[in-house]
Amino acid sequence: MECPTMTEAAGNMGRETDAPELEAHLLPVLSARLSAIVREMNATLMKCSRSSVIKNSKDFSCGLLTYDHRLLSVEDCIPIHIAALEHATKPITEFFDDIRPGDAFMNNCPYTGNSHHADMTLCVPVFVDGEPLFWTLSRAHHADIGAPIPTTYLTEAATIYEEGVHLPCVQIQQDYRDRNDIIRMCRTKIRVADLWYGDYLAQVGACRTGERRLQELADRYGKDVLKAFIRKWIDYGDRMMEAEIRKLPAGRWRFETRHDPVPGVADDGIPVNVEVEIDPVAATITVDATDNVDCVPGGLNLTEATATAACRIGVFYNLNPDLPHNQGSADRIQIRLRENCAVGIPRYPVGTSVATTNLTSRLITAVASCFAQIGEKNGMGEFAYSQALGEAVISGQDPTRDGLPYVNQVFIGYGGGGASHGFDGWLASGAACDGGQMQIDSIEITEGMYPVLIEQRGCAEDSGGPGQWDGAPGIEGTFRPLAGEMTVYWGSDGDVTPAKGVAGAGAAATSGNWMREQNGAERVLPAFGDTTISSDQAVRFRACGGGGYGAPSERDPDSVVRSVRRGWVSPSRAQDVHCVAVEWDASALDWTLNETETQRLREKAGDAR
């Protein structure tokens, strides 16, 4: 079959004469159909995967793009995975000039448009009547990818040579069959090869499901109608984004945050500076992240895909959530990045192992916090920062299963979301890069899959940032191996510089990690590290909370009482910070509001202001 080149396909899809005018009712019908296809792809990947990090925690995303690399549809996906998907497929059409039906390509290389090496991205071209029209894409985080140590977050990995197997847009299927040489290479390199291969097959299933559904859509409506829809759908995203930006004031705002120190990689921490300019006349938002430090000698550097995605995410978090998240709306955000920059475009072969989490969340927060400077009702408190021991990669040999090796990232405890005007932060939303799309592990399922005992898990008191609307608390917990030894790897940010509040609100509590020894004594663990523990030891963690929004003394007293009852806020913080007096009602066995004392406290606070 003679297939058009990428340039020819792009030209065909863009010409107005190629497709008839779309009937008005088909725009919502077909956009909803694409959303349904992505949701079915997500369900296929989740149900068919084997590893806990994918099946239980949902560390994966699926999406649809046009063949000329324009984002069409994403649903229920992790923001950092999907906000710059076009970077993942563009190199494929540069490397291959003979793409055919039945092909599939795997990309996990940070220098060919991927997010980071642990996210394996499978891309399938979708042909209609011999012409390539779409890409289906699945991206999943694999807990082991063959690094020198069993983890996929290597903060000290100065180059990609220390990160594991890299597949820079390789053809992994041809004529709907695996390329056995590529599969054999991966299985030989990866410790838990059967687990990896099962997850890979789940990704294949997701993409092939999307391929079939798109071909069925073409059979029903015809290729010309789909081309007309693509043009109208992306134009609709552009027009909606234009209208949203025109509501904003013109101006330029700057914000700086700082990643915690990482010994040997960034001893003084990593400052993150960003400038956001809103031009309502041109209906554009420009995000400039060029004024930042050069790449650091470790895995914290961002990739071009994650830096681009982070800048877009910080903007979208502050706009109408009903905006179509397609290429039309994304292109209204103009992004400036610098080469050889820690939050920009890395210079080969610098390490980018942690490119989806730590610095990414700082960059998203910096962009989002610029909006908080616009004025009342804008912006949001900072999200929690990530990767405390509640999100550790655990590994070992399971003595209850004849020494079967295991490697998995657990999500036992997450950070809290930042508050916004009118809303408290989202409990267990995680870091800004996740946007609440990850799931907290089920204790019972995790204990059933791995030799681990989770002794305790709950919301950490006074960990959320206080405000008129509180940031969500972080999660704290304790776990240990049930039998044998277990190695845990972690790399948390927020131990020194926690999530800050905005508009007069307070900061969240810091994150932290501790070891409990055999004799019960606890000692503080570093923010970044690894340790091996036995069944008579345990590790304890506290994830960072989210930043608040607005003055704490203006919070609704009933909301404060409710937080005290839940154990999220202590009675002393309620009184000293929120100016709300609570007292224990022995008959009701609950906390109640002391209205007289609360009124006195708030009048005193008002006089002080």
Side-chain angles (χ1 to χ4, degrees):
M1 182 188 300
E2 188 69 26
C3 297
T5 65
M6 181 267 176
T7 303
E8 291 169 342
N12 290 341
M13 295 183 73
R15 287 200 296 267
E16 295 287 333
T17 56
D18 279 353
E21 189 65 26
L22 188 73
E23 294 182 49
H25 74 281
L26 287 180
L27 184 66
V29 167
L30 291 176
S31 63
R33 187 70 189 97
L34 292 187
S35 296
I37 291 172
V38 176
R39 287 196 295 271
E40 186 178 3
M41 292 171 65
N42 285 335
T44 301
L45 180 47
M46 183 179 71
K47 290 178 180 293
C48 297
S49 59
R50 296 184 182 180
S51 65
S52 173
V53 67
I54 299 175
K55 179 181 292 293
N56 300 335
S57 305
K58 293 185 65 177
D59 197 348
F60 68 84
S61 300
C62 296
L64 303 176
L65 299 93
T66 63
Y67 189 74
D68 59 335
H69 319 294
R70 292 177 291 166
L71 181 63
L72 275 181
S73 184
V74 288
E75 283 289 329
D76 298 330
C77 298
I78 296 172
I80 199 61
H81 278 175
I82 52 85
L85 278 185
E86 71 272 20
H87 286 268
T89 56
K90 282 180 180 178
I92 301 174
T93 51
E94 296 172 6
F95 297 152
F96 296 88
D97 57 8
D98 58 346
I99 298 172
R100 300 177 183 277
D103 287 348
F105 302 87
M106 184 66 84
N107 181 14
N108 84 320
C109 179
Y111 292 94
T112 55
N114 196 50
S115 48
H116 75 148
H117 74 293
D119 287 340
M120 302 198 85
T121 305
L122 189 76
C123 305
V124 166
V126 180
F127 287 73
V128 176
D129 296 334
E131 180 181 351
L133 287 189
F134 304 100
W135 292 100
T136 62
L137 182 149
S138 64
R139 174 172 284 167
H141 177 201
H142 294 256
D144 179 59
I145 208 68
I149 56 177
T151 181
T152 51
Y153 293 105
L154 299 121
T155 55
E156 297 179 354
T159 68
I160 65 167
Y161 309 128
E162 305 164 62
E163 295 179 3
V165 65
H166 284 267
L167 304 174
C169 295
V170 301
Q171 185 184 46
I172 200 166
Q173 283 197 334
Q174 189 174 26
D175 295 328
Y176 297 96
R177 296 175 180 268
D178 284 347
R179 289 279 306 273
N180 289 329
D181 54 346
I182 303 299
I183 299 298
R184 185 170 62 254
M185 180 180 70
C186 291
R187 290 183 67 98
T188 302
K189 177 70 172 174
I190 295 169
R191 294 173 180 81
V192 284
D194 289 343
L195 192 72
W196 169 81
Y197 188 64
D199 289 338
Y200 156 74
L201 290 179
Q203 290 189 249
V204 172
C207 285
R208 294 301 182 193
T209 296
E211 178 186 28
R212 288 194 300 273
R213 296 295 180 257
L214 287 170
Q215 289 169 340
E216 291 167 1
L217 203 65
D219 290 342
R220 178 169 182 175
Y221 292 98
K223 180 170 64 175
D224 288 345
V225 170
L226 290 188
K227 286 184 175 182
F229 163 74
I230 290 169
R231 187 178 68 250
K232 288 291 187 181
W233 175 238
I234 292 178
D235 179 64
Y236 175 69
D238 174 76
R239 288 186 288 109
M240 291 290 287
M241 187 69 161
E242 177 184 5
E244 188 74 6
I245 296 173
R246 291 195 190 280
K247 300 175 186 176
L248 300 172
R252 183 179 298 170
W253 297 270
R254 183 179 177 87
F255 189 84
E256 176 179 337
T257 183
R258 178 176 290 267
H259 189 285
D260 287 352
V262 184
V265 176
D267 292 333
D268 298 323
I270 303 174
V272 178
N273 305 292
V274 73
E275 187 172 272
V276 172
E277 181 177 5
I278 299 174
D279 185 344
V281 176
T284 59
I285 296 176
T286 301
V287 181
D288 190 337
T290 57
D291 184 20
N292 284 291
V293 299
D294 289 346
C295 289
V296 298
L300 290 168
N301 303 292
L302 301 192
T303 61
E304 183 176 6
T306 56
T308 301
C311 292
R312 288 175 177 170
I313 293 165
V315 172
F316 277 122
Y317 276 170
N318 285 277
L319 302 181
N320 187 340
D322 292 329
L323 281 170
H325 293 152
N326 62 26
Q327 204 65 46
S329 58
D331 284 346
R332 286 278 172 181
I333 306 170
Q334 301 175 355
I335 300 167
R336 295 174 183 167
L337 303 174
R338 181 173 65 83
E339 188 179 352
N340 192 34
C341 179
V343 292
I345 304 171
R347 181 176 293 167
Y348 188 88
V350 70
T352 61
S353 176
V354 197
T356 57
T357 52
N358 293 40
L359 268 187
T360 295
S361 292
R362 291 286 179 181
L363 180 54
I364 295 170
T365 289
V367 174
S369 294
C370 285
F371 283 81
Q373 302 173 49
I374 293 176
E376 186 180 359
K377 298 185 179 181
N378 289 289
M380 59 195 304
E382 295 184 10
F383 275 79
Y385 296 110
S386 63
Q387 302 292 81
L389 268 164
E391 302 169 53
V393 176
I394 62 173
S395 62
Q397 293 180 316
D398 188 349
T400 68
R401 292 181 171 87
D402 298 323
L404 183 71
Y406 63 91
V407 183
N408 181 62
Q409 184 177 10
V410 295
F411 288 88
I412 299 171
Y414 238 12
S420 56
H421 187 274
F423 300 94
D424 290 341
W426 190 352
L427 181 65
S429 69
C433 56
D434 300 326
Q437 290 298 313
M438 297 282 291
Q439 290 189 165
I440 297 294
D441 287 351
S442 161
I443 289 176
E444 292 78 12
I445 291 177
T446 298
E447 292 179 339
M449 293 182 69
Y450 303 101
V452 60
L453 178 67
I454 301 171
E455 295 182 349
Q456 175 265 337
R457 178 173 70 179
C459 294
E461 188 176 69
D462 291 343
S463 57
Q468 184 176 1
W469 295 280
D470 278 351
I475 305 299
E476 61 182 357
T478 304
F479 65 95
R480 62 178 174 85
L482 187 62
E485 291 187 334
M486 174 184 290
T487 300
V488 291
Y489 296 86
W490 72 97
S492 62
D493 184 22
D495 290 33
V496 176
T497 306
K500 295 184 177 65
V502 298
T510 55
S511 51
N513 305 281
W514 297 266
M515 161 82 85
R516 191 184 71 208
E517 301 289 1
Q518 293 94 331
N519 61 5
E522 277 195 350
R523 61 182 174 89
V524 177
L525 291 172
F528 293 80
D530 64 271
T531 189
T532 299
I533 57 176
S534 59
S535 58
D536 55 1
Q537 297 173 300
V539 289
R540 182 168 68 88
F541 66 89
R542 182 183 67 227
C544 183
Y549 190 105
S553 60
E554 295 179 11
R555 183 167 176 77
D556 173 48
D558 289 335
S559 297
V560 177
V561 174
R562 184 168 60 249
S563 294
V564 172
R565 289 171 174 169
R566 287 172 168 171
W568 295 5
V569 171
S570 67
S572 59
R573 172 185 270 198
Q575 177 168 312
D576 298 340
V577 179
H578 285 296
C579 299
V580 172
V582 296
E583 55 189 25
W584 181 253
D585 186 337
S587 60
L589 297 178
D590 210 346
W591 294 98
T592 59
L593 175 67
N594 184 326
E595 295 185 11
T596 302
E597 180 62 11
T598 296
Q599 182 177 356
R600 187 190 70 80
L601 290 171
R602 295 212 155 178
E603 288 175 352
K604 182 179 179 182
D607 292 341
R609 287 198 301 271

